Amino acid sequence: MTDWDPSPPAAASGGRRLAAARAEARAVRQPLERPAPLRQAVYDVIAEMIINRELQPGEHLVENELAAQLGVSRQPVREALQRLHSEGWVDLRPALGAFVHVPTESEADQLLAARTLLETESARLAARLATPENIEHLWGLQRAGEKALSDDDQEGMVAANAALHAYVVSMSGNNVLAELIALVDRRVRWYYAPIARSRGREAWDEHAALIEVIASRNGKRAGDMMRRHTERTRESYHKRRKEAAEREALA
């Protein structure tokens, strides 16, 4: 298997120094547990680092730095990066190495549009099948999200948002729908992370209204509300990208 040269050319030295500074600033992680297949564990950790933006889009991924950070050899890191490349999380550039993928406007729009369709149907079915126990659990997830919001805990907000949406999907009783949504869940969390704060109170107010409609067992209203909720998230993502592009143009 081809190894990557972790040293970029002179033209990219500024970016290399920035990546090194980021790596040094991160807390040293505990060595990974060994009972699970190591390459899978390394893959999962790096994927989560990308999703929660610990590794930023466009950031250079240096094998030996990641290996030292995770307390493993370079081989499982190399295997994890190859898999992440095949799944679209990482870009491999000849003579430069591996970089976190930078999602395009089109990629994000297509995925968030598919999410809207899938989650609209899941909410419709969830409302028809909802039990008092389901509703109680949804309110518990809502409280966790509101606590993360009040604590200004971005990672907590992303996790709570994902958990609430996943539970609505599980309530639908449709295993095929659940499998399809699971395919896009990680990437949705990746896109949601930068707007978790800006969506903030609005998103959690929408969640509370959605839970109330699901509790009323009105499938049509629940589906319509979920569609509007996910479309607002989609719009917020595109608005943030546009604002970021405008700031970059002025810099």
PDB file of all heavy atoms in Angstrom, residues 225-250:
ATOM      1  N   MET A 225     -44.855  19.296  10.171  1.00  0.00           N
ATOM      2  CA  MET A 225     -44.002  20.046  11.087  1.00  0.00           C
ATOM      3  C   MET A 225     -42.544  19.613  10.964  1.00  0.00           C
ATOM      4  O   MET A 225     -41.636  20.455  10.991  1.00  0.00           O
ATOM      5  CB  MET A 225     -44.496  19.861  12.520  1.00  0.00           C
ATOM      6  CG  MET A 225     -43.824  20.781  13.520  1.00  0.00           C
ATOM      7  SD  MET A 225     -44.709  20.816  15.107  1.00  0.00           S
ATOM      8  CE  MET A 225     -46.160  21.754  14.654  1.00  0.00           C
ATOM      9  N   MET A 226     -42.309  18.318  10.822  1.00  0.00           N
ATOM     10  CA  MET A 226     -40.939  17.827  10.654  1.00  0.00           C
ATOM     11  C   MET A 226     -40.345  18.340   9.346  1.00  0.00           C
ATOM     12  O   MET A 226     -39.166  18.718   9.293  1.00  0.00           O
ATOM     13  CB  MET A 226     -40.894  16.305  10.686  1.00  0.00           C
ATOM     14  CG  MET A 226     -39.508  15.710  10.497  1.00  0.00           C
ATOM     15  SD  MET A 226     -38.359  16.117  11.838  1.00  0.00           S
ATOM     16  CE  MET A 226     -38.689  14.744  12.961  1.00  0.00           C
ATOM     17  N   ARG A 227     -41.165  18.389   8.298  1.00  0.00           N
ATOM     18  CA  ARG A 227     -40.666  18.901   7.009  1.00  0.00           C
ATOM     19  C   ARG A 227     -40.220  20.352   7.162  1.00  0.00           C
ATOM     20  O   ARG A 227     -39.137  20.733   6.710  1.00  0.00           O
ATOM     21  CB  ARG A 227     -41.751  18.781   5.934  1.00  0.00           C
ATOM     22  CG  ARG A 227     -41.332  19.344   4.569  1.00  0.00           C
ATOM     23  CD  ARG A 227     -42.458  19.223   3.549  1.00  0.00           C
ATOM     24  NE  ARG A 227     -43.685  19.807   4.025  1.00  0.00           N
ATOM     25  CZ  ARG A 227     -43.935  21.117   4.068  1.00  0.00           C
ATOM     26  NH1 ARG A 227     -43.020  21.986   3.661  1.00  0.00           N
ATOM     27  NH2 ARG A 227     -45.093  21.571   4.509  1.00  0.00           N
ATOM     28  N   ARG A 228     -41.050  21.184   7.806  1.00  0.00           N
ATOM     29  CA  ARG A 228     -40.683  22.591   7.993  1.00  0.00           C
ATOM     30  C   ARG A 228     -39.436  22.725   8.873  1.00  0.00           C
ATOM     31  O   ARG A 228     -38.562  23.556   8.608  1.00  0.00           O
ATOM     32  CB  ARG A 228     -41.851  23.359   8.620  1.00  0.00           C
ATOM     33  CG  ARG A 228     -43.019  23.573   7.673  1.00  0.00           C
ATOM     34  CD  ARG A 228     -43.987  24.610   8.230  1.00  0.00           C
ATOM     35  NE  ARG A 228     -44.601  24.170   9.473  1.00  0.00           N
ATOM     36  CZ  ARG A 228     -45.722  23.465   9.557  1.00  0.00           C
ATOM     37  NH1 ARG A 228     -46.356  23.100   8.442  1.00  0.00           N
ATOM     38  NH2 ARG A 228     -46.220  23.133  10.737  1.00  0.00           N
ATOM     39  N   HIS A 229     -39.361  21.890   9.912  1.00  0.00           N
ATOM     40  CA  HIS A 229     -38.218  21.940  10.825  1.00  0.00           C
ATOM     41  C   HIS A 229     -36.915  21.608  10.103  1.00  0.00           C
ATOM     42  O   HIS A 229     -35.909  22.327  10.228  1.00  0.00           O
ATOM     43  CB  HIS A 229     -38.466  20.948  11.967  1.00  0.00           C
ATOM     44  CG  HIS A 229     -37.284  20.729  12.859  1.00  0.00           C
ATOM     45  ND1 HIS A 229     -36.769  21.716  13.676  1.00  0.00           N
ATOM     46  CD2 HIS A 229     -36.507  19.629  13.063  1.00  0.00           C
ATOM     47  CE1 HIS A 229     -35.736  21.238  14.352  1.00  0.00           C
ATOM     48  NE2 HIS A 229     -35.550  19.977  13.992  1.00  0.00           N
ATOM     49  N   THR A 230     -36.895  20.523   9.336  1.00  0.00           N
ATOM     50  CA  THR A 230     -35.669  20.131   8.648  1.00  0.00           C
ATOM     51  C   THR A 230     -35.330  21.091   7.511  1.00  0.00           C
ATOM     52  O   THR A 230     -34.152  21.314   7.214  1.00  0.00           O
ATOM     53  CB  THR A 230     -35.777  18.689   8.109  1.00  0.00           C
ATOM     54  OG1 THR A 230     -36.966  18.558   7.304  1.00  0.00           O
ATOM     55  CG2 THR A 230     -35.846  17.674   9.253  1.00  0.00           C
ATOM     56  N   GLU A 231     -36.345  21.684   6.893  1.00  0.00           N
ATOM     57  CA  GLU A 231     -36.080  22.669   5.844  1.00  0.00           C
ATOM     58  C   GLU A 231     -35.447  23.931   6.427  1.00  0.00           C
ATOM     59  O   GLU A 231     -34.591  24.551   5.805  1.00  0.00           O
ATOM     60  CB  GLU A 231     -37.378  23.020   5.104  1.00  0.00           C
ATOM     61  CG  GLU A 231     -37.762  22.011   4.040  1.00  0.00           C
ATOM     62  CD  GLU A 231     -36.744  21.932   2.922  1.00  0.00           C
ATOM     63  OE1 GLU A 231     -36.397  22.973   2.340  1.00  0.00           O
ATOM     64  OE2 GLU A 231     -36.263  20.821   2.646  1.00  0.00           O
ATOM     65  N   ARG A 232     -35.846  24.310   7.634  1.00  0.00           N
ATOM     66  CA  ARG A 232     -35.228  25.477   8.269  1.00  0.00           C
ATOM     67  C   ARG A 232     -33.753  25.204   8.571  1.00  0.00           C
ATOM     68  O   ARG A 232     -32.911  26.100   8.442  1.00  0.00           O
ATOM     69  CB  ARG A 232     -35.989  25.842   9.546  1.00  0.00           C
ATOM     70  CG  ARG A 232     -37.346  26.468   9.297  1.00  0.00           C
ATOM     71  CD  ARG A 232     -37.953  27.023  10.569  1.00  0.00           C
ATOM     72  NE  ARG A 232     -39.303  27.527  10.331  1.00  0.00           N
ATOM     73  CZ  ARG A 232     -40.410  26.942  10.799  1.00  0.00           C
ATOM     74  NH1 ARG A 232     -40.322  25.851  11.536  1.00  0.00           N
ATOM     75  NH2 ARG A 232     -41.594  27.462  10.533  1.00  0.00           N
ATOM     76  N   THR A 233     -33.456  23.987   8.983  1.00  0.00           N
ATOM     77  CA  THR A 233     -32.054  23.625   9.217  1.00  0.00           C
ATOM     78  C   THR A 233     -31.270  23.695   7.910  1.00  0.00           C
ATOM     79  O   THR A 233     -30.145  24.205   7.873  1.00  0.00           O
ATOM     80  CB  THR A 233     -31.962  22.204   9.807  1.00  0.00           C
ATOM     81  OG1 THR A 233     -32.608  22.187  11.086  1.00  0.00           O
ATOM     82  CG2 THR A 233     -30.518  21.763   9.967  1.00  0.00           C
ATOM     83  N   ARG A 234     -31.861  23.227   6.857  1.00  0.00           N
ATOM     84  CA  ARG A 234     -31.217  23.281   5.533  1.00  0.00           C
ATOM     85  C   ARG A 234     -30.958  24.726   5.116  1.00  0.00           C
ATOM     86  O   ARG A 234     -29.872  25.079   4.648  1.00  0.00           O
ATOM     87  CB  ARG A 234     -32.133  22.578   4.521  1.00  0.00           C
ATOM     88  CG  ARG A 234     -31.620  22.473   3.093  1.00  0.00           C
ATOM     89  CD  ARG A 234     -32.692  21.784   2.268  1.00  0.00           C
ATOM     90  NE  ARG A 234     -32.364  21.687   0.867  1.00  0.00           N
ATOM     91  CZ  ARG A 234     -33.247  21.314  -0.070  1.00  0.00           C
ATOM     92  NH1 ARG A 234     -34.479  21.001   0.277  1.00  0.00           N
ATOM     93  NH2 ARG A 234     -32.886  21.251  -1.332  1.00  0.00           N
ATOM     94  N   GLU A 235     -31.949  25.586   5.319  1.00  0.00           N
ATOM     95  CA  GLU A 235     -31.786  26.993   4.972  1.00  0.00           C
ATOM     96  C   GLU A 235     -30.702  27.655   5.827  1.00  0.00           C
ATOM     97  O   GLU A 235     -29.917  28.470   5.330  1.00  0.00           O
ATOM     98  CB  GLU A 235     -33.125  27.717   5.161  1.00  0.00           C
ATOM     99  CG  GLU A 235     -34.181  27.322   4.139  1.00  0.00           C
ATOM    100  CD  GLU A 235     -35.583  27.735   4.566  1.00  0.00           C
ATOM    101  OE1 GLU A 235     -35.705  28.408   5.629  1.00  0.00           O
ATOM    102  OE2 GLU A 235     -36.545  27.392   3.856  1.00  0.00           O
ATOM    103  N   SER A 236     -30.658  27.299   7.109  1.00  0.00           N
ATOM    104  CA  SER A 236     -29.651  27.871   8.012  1.00  0.00           C
ATOM    105  C   SER A 236     -28.246  27.474   7.588  1.00  0.00           C
ATOM    106  O   SER A 236     -27.311  28.279   7.664  1.00  0.00           O
ATOM    107  CB  SER A 236     -29.904  27.414   9.453  1.00  0.00           C
ATOM    108  OG  SER A 236     -31.110  27.950   9.935  1.00  0.00           O
ATOM    109  N   TYR A 237     -28.103  26.237   7.143  1.00  0.00           N
ATOM    110  CA  TYR A 237     -26.788  25.766   6.701  1.00  0.00           C
ATOM    111  C   TYR A 237     -26.321  26.594   5.497  1.00  0.00           C
ATOM    112  O   TYR A 237     -25.179  27.061   5.466  1.00  0.00           O
ATOM    113  CB  TYR A 237     -26.843  24.286   6.342  1.00  0.00           C
ATOM    114  CG  TYR A 237     -25.528  23.756   5.829  1.00  0.00           C
ATOM    115  CD1 TYR A 237     -24.527  23.353   6.704  1.00  0.00           C
ATOM    116  CD2 TYR A 237     -25.266  23.693   4.459  1.00  0.00           C
ATOM    117  CE1 TYR A 237     -23.310  22.899   6.241  1.00  0.00           C
ATOM    118  CE2 TYR A 237     -24.049  23.236   3.984  1.00  0.00           C
ATOM    119  CZ  TYR A 237     -23.071  22.836   4.883  1.00  0.00           C
ATOM    120  OH  TYR A 237     -21.854  22.403   4.419  1.00  0.00           O
ATOM    121  N   HIS A 238     -27.185  26.769   4.530  1.00  0.00           N
ATOM    122  CA  HIS A 238     -26.797  27.518   3.336  1.00  0.00           C
ATOM    123  C   HIS A 238     -26.544  28.994   3.660  1.00  0.00           C
ATOM    124  O   HIS A 238     -25.637  29.607   3.089  1.00  0.00           O
ATOM    125  CB  HIS A 238     -27.874  27.392   2.262  1.00  0.00           C
ATOM    126  CG  HIS A 238     -27.934  26.027   1.643  1.00  0.00           C
ATOM    127  ND1 HIS A 238     -26.840  25.413   1.094  1.00  0.00           N
ATOM    128  CD2 HIS A 238     -28.965  25.144   1.520  1.00  0.00           C
ATOM    129  CE1 HIS A 238     -27.186  24.216   0.634  1.00  0.00           C
ATOM    130  NE2 HIS A 238     -28.462  24.035   0.888  1.00  0.00           N
ATOM    131  N   LYS A 239     -27.325  29.560   4.581  1.00  0.00           N
ATOM    132  CA  LYS A 239     -27.115  30.951   4.984  1.00  0.00           C
ATOM    133  C   LYS A 239     -25.744  31.112   5.629  1.00  0.00           C
ATOM    134  O   LYS A 239     -25.019  32.080   5.339  1.00  0.00           O
ATOM    135  CB  LYS A 239     -28.212  31.374   5.961  1.00  0.00           C
ATOM    136  CG  LYS A 239     -28.069  32.806   6.455  1.00  0.00           C
ATOM    137  CD  LYS A 239     -29.169  33.163   7.448  1.00  0.00           C
ATOM    138  CE  LYS A 239     -28.995  34.576   7.981  1.00  0.00           C
ATOM    139  NZ  LYS A 239     -30.036  34.918   8.979  1.00  0.00           N
ATOM    140  N   ARG A 240     -25.371  30.151   6.483  1.00  0.00           N
ATOM    141  CA  ARG A 240     -24.075  30.248   7.142  1.00  0.00           C
ATOM    142  C   ARG A 240     -22.937  30.139   6.137  1.00  0.00           C
ATOM    143  O   ARG A 240     -21.947  30.860   6.222  1.00  0.00           O
ATOM    144  CB  ARG A 240     -23.935  29.154   8.200  1.00  0.00           C
ATOM    145  CG  ARG A 240     -22.640  29.249   8.989  1.00  0.00           C
ATOM    146  CD  ARG A 240     -22.474  28.085   9.951  1.00  0.00           C
ATOM    147  NE  ARG A 240     -21.242  28.222  10.704  1.00  0.00           N
ATOM    148  CZ  ARG A 240     -20.033  27.902  10.244  1.00  0.00           C
ATOM    149  NH1 ARG A 240     -19.902  27.449   9.011  1.00  0.00           N
ATOM    150  NH2 ARG A 240     -18.952  28.043  10.993  1.00  0.00           N
ATOM    151  N   ARG A 241     -23.069  29.243   5.170  1.00  0.00           N
ATOM    152  CA  ARG A 241     -22.030  29.101   4.137  1.00  0.00           C
ATOM    153  C   ARG A 241     -21.874  30.397   3.346  1.00  0.00           C
ATOM    154  O   ARG A 241     -20.763  30.828   3.039  1.00  0.00           O
ATOM    155  CB  ARG A 241     -22.369  27.943   3.191  1.00  0.00           C
ATOM    156  CG  ARG A 241     -22.044  26.567   3.728  1.00  0.00           C
ATOM    157  CD  ARG A 241     -22.266  25.519   2.653  1.00  0.00           C
ATOM    158  NE  ARG A 241     -21.344  25.698   1.555  1.00  0.00           N
ATOM    159  CZ  ARG A 241     -20.316  24.885   1.286  1.00  0.00           C
ATOM    160  NH1 ARG A 241     -20.075  23.854   2.073  1.00  0.00           N
ATOM    161  NH2 ARG A 241     -19.535  25.102   0.263  1.00  0.00           N
ATOM    162  N   LYS A 242     -22.992  31.029   3.017  1.00  0.00           N
ATOM    163  CA  LYS A 242     -22.941  32.273   2.246  1.00  0.00           C
ATOM    164  C   LYS A 242     -22.269  33.361   3.053  1.00  0.00           C
ATOM    165  O   LYS A 242     -21.422  34.110   2.525  1.00  0.00           O
ATOM    166  CB  LYS A 242     -24.378  32.687   1.880  1.00  0.00           C
ATOM    167  CG  LYS A 242     -24.420  33.968   1.047  1.00  0.00           C
ATOM    168  CD  LYS A 242     -25.863  34.334   0.692  1.00  0.00           C
ATOM    169  CE  LYS A 242     -25.924  35.618  -0.107  1.00  0.00           C
ATOM    170  NZ  LYS A 242     -27.320  36.004  -0.412  1.00  0.00           N
ATOM    171  N   GLU A 243     -22.597  33.460   4.340  1.00  0.00           N
ATOM    172  CA  GLU A 243     -21.985  34.479   5.202  1.00  0.00           C
ATOM    173  C   GLU A 243     -20.496  34.243   5.335  1.00  0.00           C
ATOM    174  O   GLU A 243     -19.689  35.189   5.324  1.00  0.00           O
ATOM    175  CB  GLU A 243     -22.662  34.475   6.564  1.00  0.00           C
ATOM    176  CG  GLU A 243     -24.094  35.007   6.531  1.00  0.00           C
ATOM    177  CD  GLU A 243     -24.819  34.805   7.850  1.00  0.00           C
ATOM    178  OE1 GLU A 243     -24.282  34.048   8.706  1.00  0.00           O
ATOM    179  OE2 GLU A 243     -25.896  35.388   8.032  1.00  0.00           O
ATOM    180  N   ALA A 244     -20.094  32.965   5.472  1.00  0.00           N
ATOM    181  CA  ALA A 244     -18.674  32.628   5.590  1.00  0.00           C
ATOM    182  C   ALA A 244     -17.923  33.004   4.315  1.00  0.00           C
ATOM    183  O   ALA A 244     -16.796  33.522   4.367  1.00  0.00           O
ATOM    184  CB  ALA A 244     -18.488  31.150   5.907  1.00  0.00           C
ATOM    185  N   ALA A 245     -18.540  32.747   3.168  1.00  0.00           N
ATOM    186  CA  ALA A 245     -17.910  33.083   1.884  1.00  0.00           C
ATOM    187  C   ALA A 245     -17.747  34.589   1.744  1.00  0.00           C
ATOM    188  O   ALA A 245     -16.724  35.074   1.231  1.00  0.00           O
ATOM    189  CB  ALA A 245     -18.737  32.515   0.737  1.00  0.00           C
ATOM    190  N   GLU A 246     -18.745  35.344   2.192  1.00  0.00           N
ATOM    191  CA  GLU A 246     -18.665  36.803   2.101  1.00  0.00           C
ATOM    192  C   GLU A 246     -17.572  37.355   3.014  1.00  0.00           C
ATOM    193  O   GLU A 246     -16.838  38.272   2.633  1.00  0.00           O
ATOM    194  CB  GLU A 246     -20.026  37.411   2.473  1.00  0.00           C
ATOM    195  CG  GLU A 246     -21.108  37.163   1.418  1.00  0.00           C
ATOM    196  CD  GLU A 246     -22.487  37.606   1.873  1.00  0.00           C
ATOM    197  OE1 GLU A 246     -22.636  37.923   3.084  1.00  0.00           O
ATOM    198  OE2 GLU A 246     -23.393  37.621   1.035  1.00  0.00           O
ATOM    199  N   ARG A 247     -17.452  36.771   4.224  1.00  0.00           N
ATOM    200  CA  ARG A 247     -16.385  37.213   5.140  1.00  0.00           C
ATOM    201  C   ARG A 247     -15.013  36.916   4.553  1.00  0.00           C
ATOM    202  O   ARG A 247     -14.084  37.722   4.652  1.00  0.00           O
ATOM    203  CB  ARG A 247     -16.523  36.514   6.500  1.00  0.00           C
ATOM    204  CG  ARG A 247     -17.673  37.048   7.345  1.00  0.00           C
ATOM    205  CD  ARG A 247     -17.540  36.585   8.783  1.00  0.00           C
ATOM    206  NE  ARG A 247     -17.551  35.138   8.887  1.00  0.00           N
ATOM    207  CZ  ARG A 247     -18.648  34.416   9.042  1.00  0.00           C
ATOM    208  NH1 ARG A 247     -19.839  34.994   9.088  1.00  0.00           N
ATOM    209  NH2 ARG A 247     -18.572  33.099   9.167  1.00  0.00           N
ATOM    210  N   GLU A 248     -14.887  35.752   3.921  1.00  0.00           N
ATOM    211  CA  GLU A 248     -13.607  35.363   3.325  1.00  0.00           C
ATOM    212  C   GLU A 248     -13.249  36.292   2.173  1.00  0.00           C
ATOM    213  O   GLU A 248     -12.083  36.667   1.992  1.00  0.00           O
ATOM    214  CB  GLU A 248     -13.686  33.915   2.829  1.00  0.00           C
ATOM    215  CG  GLU A 248     -12.372  33.382   2.305  1.00  0.00           C
ATOM    216  CD  GLU A 248     -12.468  31.920   1.916  1.00  0.00           C
ATOM    217  OE1 GLU A 248     -13.340  31.221   2.443  1.00  0.00           O
ATOM    218  OE2 GLU A 248     -11.641  31.473   1.079  1.00  0.00           O
ATOM    219  N   ALA A 249     -14.247  36.702   1.398  1.00  0.00           N
ATOM    220  CA  ALA A 249     -13.998  37.587   0.268  1.00  0.00           C
ATOM    221  C   ALA A 249     -13.534  38.973   0.729  1.00  0.00           C
ATOM    222  O   ALA A 249     -12.755  39.641   0.040  1.00  0.00           O
ATOM    223  CB  ALA A 249     -15.261  37.720  -0.576  1.00  0.00           C
ATOM    224  N   LEU A 250     -14.009  39.388   1.903  1.00  0.00           N
ATOM    225  CA  LEU A 250     -13.628  40.686   2.428  1.00  0.00           C
ATOM    226  C   LEU A 250     -12.298  40.675   3.158  1.00  0.00           C
ATOM    227  O   LEU A 250     -11.700  41.731   3.412  1.00  0.00           O
ATOM    228  CB  LEU A 250     -14.721  41.207   3.377  1.00  0.00           C
ATOM    229  CG  LEU A 250     -16.075  41.544   2.718  1.00  0.00           C
ATOM    230  CD1 LEU A 250     -17.112  41.846   3.796  1.00  0.00           C
ATOM    231  CD2 LEU A 250     -15.921  42.715   1.755  1.00  0.00           C
TER     232      LEU A 250
END
